[in-house]
Amino acid sequence: MPQPKFAAASALTVCGALAGGHVKDRTGQYTNLFTLAVAPSSSGKNDPMRSGIKIVQALERSKILAGEVASDSALEKLLQYHPTRYLALDEVGDYLGSIKSAGQSNPYLRTVVPMFKKVWSSAGSTYVGKARATDRGEGGKWREPVKIDSPCLSIYGTGAPSRLFDSMTERDFDDGS
């Protein structure tokens, strides 16, 4: 069924990603958006996401497309390759739930949401990555941490209310997650 609100959210997120790092408002805010389409199954929330992906592909900007990322390092590499990204996350509640429950079984996955927040707040400035003890280049020389100018991460996620809200706590809303 048509969902004009979800279509608007998807369109704004896609346009934000397409303009990523190049456009800001008079207060200095950039166009990176995190939007969620929350509705029961089969209610039309995925069509706007698929349409957004088609628009990006039709404009030959597919290099900004990405899906789920498995670690902060993976997201950092994606942004290093291209500093603007549009993440289309279907069933985002399941994704967030797996991040929350990762624990020791996948400690890398737990770093994704904090990285989303770091990158989002770095729009319009320079993101500086972690210095890692293993960051040695040729000849054993230290490599500088990754620096990304004006990263723009835009996310459009879809999910059912029960799955999304089961994966979040009050604390997640308080800290900006």
Side-chain angles (χ1 to χ4, degrees):
M1 71 180 71
Q3 294 288 357
K5 291 178 184 176
F6 295 156
S10 177
L12 287 170
T13 307
V14 167
C15 288
L18 292 170
H22 303 292
V23 176
K24 62 182 176 178
D25 66 15
R26 60 182 165 74
T27 66
Q29 299 298 307
Y30 282 78
T31 60
N32 50 333
L33 296 173
F34 290 11
T35 58
L36 295 174
V38 181
S41 294
S42 301
S43 61
K45 60 189 175 295
N46 286 340
D47 286 339
M49 180 173 61
R50 286 191 288 269
S51 296
I53 291 169
K54 286 179 184 177
I55 289 168
V56 170
Q57 290 171 326
L59 294 171
E60 297 180 1
R61 298 279 305 276
S62 292
K63 64 184 170 187
I64 73 169
L65 292 174
E68 295 177 4
V69 291
S71 69
D72 60 345
S73 296
L75 182 57
E76 193 174 85
K77 286 289 183 196
L78 281 171
L79 291 167
Q80 189 177 8
Y81 172 69
H82 194 279
T84 299
R85 290 292 171 166
Y86 170 70
L87 273 62
L89 303 177
D90 189 20
E91 299 303 338
V92 73
D94 291 341
Y95 179 54
L96 293 174
S98 65
I99 288 172
K100 289 273 196 177
S101 64
Q104 295 302 321
S105 64
N106 186 349
Y108 303 107
L109 194 56
R110 296 204 79 153
T111 61
V112 173
V113 172
M115 182 66 165
F116 284 164
K117 294 189 292 188
K118 287 177 194 171
V119 170
W120 190 81
S121 63
S122 295
S125 62
T126 300
Y127 164 81
V128 179
K130 291 189 257 184
R132 296 172 175 92
T134 59
D135 281 350
R136 302 267 182 218
E138 288 185 35
K141 291 185 177 181
W142 181 262
R143 283 188 288 186
E144 288 291 319
V146 170
K147 294 177 181 78
I148 303 167
D149 290 327
S150 295
C152 181
L153 177 63
S154 296
I155 300 173
Y156 180 78
T158 68
S162 60
R163 297 274 195 177
L164 180 64
F165 296 124
D166 285 349
S167 70
M168 301 182 84
T169 65
E170 187 176 332
R171 186 174 149 214
D172 295 322
F173 289 98
D174 291 342
D175 75 1
S177 296

